[in-house]
Amino acid sequence: MDRLDELRLLVAILETGSLAAAGRRLGHSPPAVTRGLAGLEERLGVRLLDRTTRQSRPTEAGRRLGEQARRLLAEYEDAMAEAAGAAAVPRGRLRIAAPLVFGRLHVAPLVTAFLDAQPLVSAELILSDRNADLLEEEIDVAIRIGALTEAGLVARKVGSVRRVLAASPDYLARHGRPTAPADLAMHQVIQFAAPGTPTPEWRFQGPGGQVAAVRVAPRFSVNQAEAALEAAVAGRGILRLLSYQAAEAFAAGRLERLLREWEPAAHPVSLVLPSARLLPPRVRAFLDFAAPRLSALAVLREG
């Protein structure tokens, strides 16, 4: 059994849950499967599976090797297809992750337009404000807002957004307009944050480079951006959120942007890949389709 066959065997065992089922999938006899797995474990010097008579569960080493094996096998198949001239046509399933609100407003329409242009591609769009583990969750492309914290990811910047303050004209008429960050301590504040988030400290950067920090006491806190936005539009207080989330409300006059001269530096918005090596044609095609369209969005021109 060669090295690629070993990886195929391990992946089949992890996906089917047993050596017998993996053997049936690959057309190998039970003794051949057992020998192949034992040989791989002996060569690596580590146990990959905890086995019983009924099922096999991966060890931590087995799980990690399985994740890498899936990707390596996919890259191998793509490389072979490209060498054979079959890779010119994008095909297969594309998994994309994006933030919840940005994804609903801007990425979902982009993905469906891409599918119209690529009839052999299907897509799964995962919308969440949690940053997915691209390798573990087998994400092909993610849209990320902010600096990347994971090592090894490849990013293509398509724009930027800012963290902004907003309030309704009605609220400002009743409570006045803050002229400096310190004024926020006297205002009603809406907090968009995960449950259990401690009392926030909002930090600002002034026109001369000075930094101000204000600890606010939210009157209303909610873990969903659109609910926080609705509360701000209804005049319930001052909200801090990302500029694209309030773009429609700003344009319609339902919210006003506050303390613009104190806004912190812009956050990059990027298309992110787990690796730039041997990108499948469907991923390359999506990047070429998505990057210029995202860069053209007015909501991503925040400096």
Side-chain angles (χ1 to χ4, degrees), residues 23-38:
R24 289 192 295 270
R25 173 189 284 190
L26 298 176
H28 296 333
S29 67
V33 172
T34 302
R35 286 196 302 271
L37 178 62

Side-chain angles (χ1 to χ4, degrees), residues 260-284:
R260 295 195 64 155
E261 68 277 14
W262 283 92
E263 289 174 357
H267 299 284
V269 179
S270 307
L271 288 163
V272 180
L273 310 170
S275 170
R277 297 177 55 240
L278 288 175
L279 290 179
R282 62 185 179 277
V283 177
R284 277 199 302 271

Side-chain angles (χ1 to χ4, degrees), residues 17-72:
S18 74
L19 275 66
R24 289 192 295 270
R25 173 189 284 190
L26 298 176
H28 296 333
S29 67
V33 172
T34 302
R35 286 196 302 271
L37 178 62
L40 178 59
E41 289 181 325
E42 182 177 355
R43 185 161 57 82
L44 296 176
V46 64
R47 189 172 183 82
L48 300 174
L49 298 172
D50 290 324
R51 300 185 285 278
T52 68
T53 56
R54 291 185 176 273
Q55 63 180 355
S56 301
R57 293 184 177 179
T59 63
E60 180 63 19
R63 184 185 66 80
R64 290 186 177 279
L65 180 58
E67 291 170 1
Q68 295 296 327
R70 288 187 185 93
R71 191 162 297 277
L72 286 170

Side-chain angles (χ1 to χ4, degrees), residues 10 20 69 113-114 154 167 173-174 186 262 296:
L10 177 62
F114 176 72
V154 178
R174 289 184 288 114
M186 298 179 291
W262 283 92

Side-chain angles (χ1 to χ4, degrees), residues 114-158:
F114 176 72
L115 295 180
D116 288 341
Q118 300 293 346
L120 299 182
V121 177
S122 62
E124 180 181 358
L125 177 60
I126 300 103
L127 298 182
S128 174
D129 290 329
R130 174 188 64 86
N131 282 344
D133 185 313
L134 303 192
L135 285 174
E136 184 172 336
E137 300 179 42
E138 299 181 355
I139 302 296
D140 295 303
V141 183
I143 289 83
R144 291 279 180 84
I145 298 174
L148 301 183
T149 57
E150 305 100 313
L153 298 182
V154 178
R156 181 188 295 186
K157 184 180 176 182
V158 293

Side-chain angles (χ1 to χ4, degrees), residues 9 15 36 48 52 110 115 123 145 200 205 218-219 243 274 276 296:
L9 175 61
E15 291 181 348
L48 300 174
T52 68
L110 188 70
L115 295 180
I145 298 174
Q205 183 175 323
R219 182 87 187 277
S243 52

